[in-house]
Amino acid sequence: MAIRSEPTAVVLDTSVLAIYLRIQRSERSGSPPSQKRRQRDRRIAALVAQKLAAGRAFLPSPVLMELLVGALSRADRADIASIRRSAQRATPSRILTPAEDDWMLAGSVIHRCLGNVPPGSHVVDCLITIAAARIRCPLVWTDNVEDFIRWAAELTRQGLPYVRAERPL
């Protein structure tokens, strides 16, 4: 990956993009949420929207795959396609696609950290962390900080730049 991120850029995990999409959808549908959860999710969605609009958000292709797997409707798929098109139009593209070496590194890192686990376990989160490290983007926004901390620590031991994981609040 030849992309190099700017200091205020973030790599978005599936968890925060799912919140963003859910808020966008509920704003259109007017569905009633729980008050506390709604306020938190609205703040996250607003921060994600700002990063997307400013072209300061990177989207790993495995995240787009996870979003499509979880899509419940044609409207969901259209929203995901819209985010993808916007990221593709940026110069350079904001889509991060793992190379063969990234997949191999993810496999060895997961095995080193967790031992012998099912092949799909943690792959996407590990690939997201690798993608962020490869472009030297210091920050992944996620609602699942703990797993990313594990991958970032191991990747640093492998010589890649440190990636911090945090919730976007």
Side-chain angles (χ1 to χ4, degrees):
M1 287 180 209
I3 299 170
R4 192 167 187 95
S5 77
E6 49 285 335
T8 59
V10 298
V11 174
L12 299 175
D13 178 37
T14 308
S15 60
V16 296
L17 272 170
I19 290 168
Y20 167 78
L21 289 167
R22 185 173 59 247
I23 290 297
Q24 297 299 319
R25 193 175 317 112
S26 67
E27 295 292 334
R28 290 192 303 259
S29 69
S31 60
S34 82
Q35 187 65 20
K36 188 175 181 179
R37 173 82 184 243
R38 176 62 172 230
Q39 288 174 344
R40 173 190 171 269
D41 286 358
R42 274 188 170 166
R43 288 192 309 268
I44 290 172
L47 291 169
V48 170
Q50 288 171 358
K51 289 294 186 183
L52 289 169
R56 303 249 187 239
F58 288 96
L59 304 173
S61 54
V63 167
L64 294 170
M65 181 268 311
E66 281 191 322
L67 290 171
L68 284 169
V69 168
L72 300 174
S73 68
R74 182 174 284 175
D76 290 349
R77 290 186 293 279
D79 290 343
I80 296 162
S82 175
I83 290 171
R84 179 179 177 229
R85 279 191 304 275
S86 178
Q88 286 174 319
R89 283 194 298 263
T91 305
S93 171
R94 296 295 178 165
I95 305 289
L96 304 175
T97 300
E100 178 184 347
D101 287 346
D102 298 331
W103 288 93
M104 299 301 290
L105 178 58
S108 66
V109 164
I110 293 167
H111 183 76
R112 194 170 299 114
C113 290
L114 300 177
N116 190 11
V117 296
S121 295
H122 305 281
V123 170
V124 171
D125 290 348
C126 192
L127 286 169
I128 292 166
T129 311
I130 291 168
R134 293 265 194 237
I135 64 165
R136 299 186 183 285
C137 186
L139 185 61
V140 173
W141 274 359
T142 182
D143 214 26
N144 177 20
V145 172
E146 295 75 23
D147 284 336
F148 282 89
I149 290 171
R150 176 184 336 167
W151 309 134
E154 181 58 33
L155 291 170
T156 301
R157 283 191 286 280
Q158 298 287 322
L160 288 171
Y162 183 74
V163 175
R164 191 174 75 251
E166 62 184 45
R167 290 177 182 86
L169 288 178

